[in-house]
């Protein structure tokens, strides 16, 4: 089934859909040129399909496109960045140790 990620700025979150059904979301807080990722959640019936990773990648790619720095407070986002070091540059160097990304 087709997945799509949609930014919902009014709700401060990116949502991932499978078909027409909401499968999960990542909440964020935007302040100036920084975006703090706070929480990622996938509905239980959609778990194990790689949707959280797809959602996280899209959200981080959006941050890069807009020239935003990333603060990965969400444990899932932090772990995903550790597994994909090509995204570490989005986290300010002065914050990387705090997020265990150095």
């Amino acid at each position: 089934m087709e997945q799509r990620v949609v930014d919902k700025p009014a709700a401060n979150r990116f949502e991932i859909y499978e078909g027409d059904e909401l499968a999960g979301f990542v909440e964020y807080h935007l302040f100036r040129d920084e975006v703090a990722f706070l929480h990622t959640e996938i509905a239980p019936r959609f778990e194990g399909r790689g949707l959280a990773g797809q959602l996280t990648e899209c959200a981080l790619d959006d941050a890069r496109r807009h020239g935003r720095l990333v603060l990965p407070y969400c444990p899932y986002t932090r772990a995903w960045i550790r597994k994909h070091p090509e995204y570490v540059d989005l986290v300010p160097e002065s914050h990387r140790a705090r997020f265990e990304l150095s």
Side-chain angles (χ1 to χ4, degrees), residues 40-85:
T40 302
E41 189 172 317
I42 299 295
R45 63 180 266 191
F46 294 100
E47 290 177 354
R49 300 183 194 180
L51 298 179
Q54 183 180 343
L55 176 61
T56 300
E57 184 174 19
C58 287
L60 293 173
D61 286 345
D62 184 78
R64 188 181 303 281
R65 260 191 314 280
H66 289 94
R68 294 183 177 129
L69 301 171
V70 170
L71 302 174
Y73 291 103
C74 170
Y76 183 86
T77 304
R78 255 192 326 274
W80 194 92
I81 291 172
R82 277 190 211 106
K83 291 179 185 174
H84 300 87

Side-chain angles (χ1 to χ4, degrees), residues 4-8 13-17 22 24-25 55:
R4 63 187 164 85
V5 175
V6 178
D7 184 11
K8 300 279 186 146
R13 66 190 205 171
F14 285 89
E15 298 177 343
I16 189 163
Y17 291 83
L22 177 64
F25 60 88
L55 176 61

